[in-house]
Amino acid sequence: MSFFGFPYSATEQIRRLDAATADNIAAQASLQQAGEEAARSTRLSRREAVLERRKSQLAARALREQPLRTSEVRAAVEEALADMAQRADHRAQSRH
């Protein structure tokens, strides 16, 4: 039996529309959840990128400071070598 040219009765059509509406709402909720998860993932990856950038900046700062430490070490080694040479000269003079 058709109802205004439709092959289903009015109650059947309403039931089908209700089912389609429920499916549509479920699909929208699923898309909303997927969007929220993607946003959460993006926030986490941005946070990780910021932390990695801070680590690399700290490492770069440490490398920039390293030549100062190297020059200080070099000066200390040169001073120690000069002291050793002076002691060796003193020993050589005291033997003669």
Side-chain angles (χ1 to χ4, degrees):
M1 171 162 114
S2 68
F3 181 74
F4 292 113
F6 295 109
Y8 304 106
S9 66
T11 55
E12 180 66 20
Q13 288 179 17
I14 291 173
R15 188 187 64 74
R16 286 178 172 240
L17 281 174
D18 287 343
T21 303
D23 288 344
N24 192 9
I25 290 171
Q28 287 177 353
S30 176
L31 286 174
Q32 178 70 25
Q33 183 178 2
E36 289 172 359
E37 290 173 2
R40 188 178 309 116
S41 175
T42 301
R43 282 192 304 270
L44 288 175
S45 64
R46 285 181 183 168
R47 186 175 299 144
E48 290 173 0
V50 166
L51 292 176
E52 288 298 319
R53 187 170 55 244
R54 287 180 185 165
K55 285 180 185 177
S56 67
Q57 287 172 347
L58 287 174
R61 187 176 303 135
L63 287 176
R64 282 194 305 270
E65 292 172 357
Q66 188 173 5
L68 296 175
R69 292 185 195 134
T70 302
S71 64
E72 292 170 0
V73 169
R74 183 178 293 129
V77 167
E78 288 174 357
E79 183 180 331
L81 290 174
D83 287 346
M84 289 172 55
Q86 192 176 27
R87 286 182 195 160
D89 288 344
H90 181 65
R91 276 190 229 129
Q93 288 175 356
S94 64
R95 287 186 190 152
H96 291 266

